[in-house]
Amino acid sequence: MMLLAGHRVLALAPAEHSALARFLSSLGASIEATDPAHLESQVRGASFLIEDIGLRALMDAGWSRERLRQLNPRLIHVSVTTFGSSGPRASWRGSELVTSAVGGTLRLTGQPDRAPVKEALDACRFHAWMAGAAGALAAHYARGLNGAGQHIDVSAQEVALSRNVNSILVWQFDRRKLQRVGGALNYGRATVRCIWPLADGWCFHTLMTGSFGAPANQALSDWIDQAGLDNPLRGTDWSRYNRSTLDPQVRSLWERAIEAFFRTRTRQDIATEGRRRDIHATVIATPADVLADPHLASRDFWRVENGRRVPGRFVRITAGPASALRTESPGTRPGPLAGVRVLDFSWALVGSITTKILGDLGAEVIKVESRSRPCLSRIDVQISASRADSFDDKPWFAHLNSSKRSLALDLKKPESRQVIDPLVGWADVVVENFSPGTMSKLGLDFPPGHHPRVRQRLWPKRSARPGMGSGRHRRRAVGPHLPDRMARSRSGHSGCGALWRCHPALRDGGRSRGGAAATSRERTRLPHRCVDV
């Protein structure tokens, strides 16, 4: 299903090679490389213009925003530059190394006793292009309602800074600076190791907090015992364990024992016996492992371009039955997604960020939680003002869930359906990243037409597994604070992540009929869709 089929994207060189160009192309848009000298003949009828030179450079080439608007008032124009299109550094250029340095992320990558090192590939710039993707698709949705184009201005420096929010929070509350910790994670008050040497490679593993991590933590302890190695983890009450408040001396003792154990295991041991025991560990893949991965092959992930295998898409979208488009008036929150209704079942990091972005762009988001299984960001203690026995004093959780309303509900109780069913019917978008099968057990799985009360139009799922559609989708994805750490390891990209964004795209691609914004009468039915990431 190609949501942007028929849409033209003009890309000022070299933006045709950017992550945003690849993303829009994966949704069906055609990418046309161009330059300022040829814009006059190409900009009319184009849906998007993407570039990385900024407004000042465009102005110097004779292209002001006003001129672009006059030629194509529906044009969505995306600028992704190092410092943004305004301010004293607007005309400055900068590499990925410069971006990560001025954004504050560079000082945190590398070993603690050595100089900072750049993250793998172009992590900050990739995130900046994906921020541009979020803005472009939100503007595309709004254009389908009002017919107007927009300018999306992205500063890679600001995006890099936003990736470093935990450092900002620690400084704001405790006036402390996070430091480089190598193959570990710095939670503010604790440094938790997560990369371990194997007999023939490396793996990712961390002891998870509370009831969520208890079975896996106990499984690792039992495996160490059965291997006949020293086991200081034995006898721990894992339901009371909190990784962010563990005594540092105890942590050091445990980590020495865990390292000694992992050094006796092979990659095959972790992939087979580790999976059988469900210890929440994954082998860190090499590039060769990724290219030979049967799971990616089964999902038709690769395509051939100029004789090389390259990633073929960002998301998989499955169409469902059409349903009536609601005609209520748009919402009152500002932003291009005003009026979009989101029911948010997500937890931890990636799902929460996805719905935070939707809310920041104007959507009305209702987050559904359970105090019997709280979000990990409610548990980890990162600052001195927070306590391990409180769910309501964690600034990290507050940051991840801005622009949302919330609801506490035990979904395992049958009477919860009296609340959930009307909310599902109210929603345009449902987001979840539960373990595989959870939504099905709750009677809320896609396709929504299977449930008589479900009538939402888009059902995006930030998958908590390595994508649906093959054997591995049934495996749980785990991480120290965020489920995407496992995905990074399996993708050969540990240490560099990506944010996925979605929008409730119109069936007609956001294009108007007769040159005017499409009305609700013109779009009387819209198909359900499942977005599998």
Side-chain angles (χ1 to χ4, degrees), residues 416-493:
S416 69
R417 298 309 293 264
Q418 299 175 19
V419 178
I420 285 297
D421 284 355
L423 284 174
V424 171
W426 163 88
D428 300 307
V429 181
V430 175
V431 180
E432 61 93 6
N433 62 342
F434 290 135
S435 298
T438 300
M439 292 296 277
S440 180
K441 292 176 183 177
L442 295 172
L444 294 170
D445 203 13
F446 183 84
H450 286 185
H451 190 284
R453 294 191 181 179
V454 176
R455 58 179 178 82
Q456 69 282 11
R457 304 190 297 281
L458 183 68
W459 193 276
K461 306 177 80 169
R462 206 307 280 171
S463 180
R465 53 278 200 193
M468 300 182 289
S470 76
R472 196 180 294 153
H473 81 273
R474 301 185 183 279
R475 303 184 193 177
R476 178 184 293 114
V478 298
H481 189 89
L482 48 154
D484 72 332
R485 293 282 180 172
M486 182 177 181
R488 297 184 192 187
S489 300
R490 292 210 62 88
S491 67
H493 203 200

Side-chain angles (χ1 to χ4, degrees), residues 348-368:
L349 183 63
V350 177
S352 296
I353 286 181
T354 298
T355 51
K356 169 186 169 66
I357 294 296
L358 295 176
D360 289 347
L361 289 172
E364 185 174 357
V365 182
I366 295 180
K367 182 179 182 67
V368 179

